[in-house]
């Protein structure tokens, strides 16, 4: 099983990367095979690219090789998505995932493949 943990925030609505270690330990203790971060919980669209990178780095450090981390890199900006994907590769993520552009949508499979 791969879990999709929420992105933790503090009382001032700032990203709380210190809480990631607790999340990672809990997932490991329950036997999950991986974490899918910045993805299906939806808050990634409210984070800056830098915050998303900080969160990915915190997860990689907290997991410390115990299980894989898949980083969601979807973005409405192709350049930002590409930067997030490159960063995920650089920090050793097990994989990446993305959503199709959701504002200016591709007009078919070929344009989606080209965007990706």
């Amino acid at each position: 099983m791969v879990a999709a943990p929420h992105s933790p925030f503090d009382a001032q609505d700032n990203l709380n990367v210190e809480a990631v270690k607790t999340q990672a330990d809990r997932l490991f203790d329950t036997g999950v095979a991986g974490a899918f971060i910045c993805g299906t919980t939806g808050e990634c669209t409210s984070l800056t690219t830098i915050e998303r990178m900080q969160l990915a780095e915190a997860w990689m450090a907290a997991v410390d090789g115990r299980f894989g981390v898949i980083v969601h890199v979807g973005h409405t900006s192709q350049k930002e998505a590409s930067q997030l994907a490159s960063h995920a590769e650089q920090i050793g993520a097990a994989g990446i995932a993305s959503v199709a552009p959701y504002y200016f949508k591709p007009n078919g499979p070929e344009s989606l493949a080209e965007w990706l």
Side-chain angles (χ1 to χ4, degrees), residues 22-74:
T22 302
Q23 290 177 300
D25 290 346
R26 175 72 176 138
L27 294 182
F28 180 75
D29 291 345
T30 58
V32 302
F36 177 45
I37 63 164
C38 295
T40 57
T41 53
E43 67 272 12
C44 71
T45 58
S46 297
L47 298 175
T48 68
T49 296
I50 291 171
E51 287 174 323
R52 290 172 70 174
M53 290 179 180
Q54 290 170 338
L55 189 58
E57 291 169 9
W59 269 97
M60 293 303 295
V63 165
D64 194 27
R66 296 180 290 172
F67 54 81
V69 175
I70 302 166
V71 180
H72 183 269
V73 300

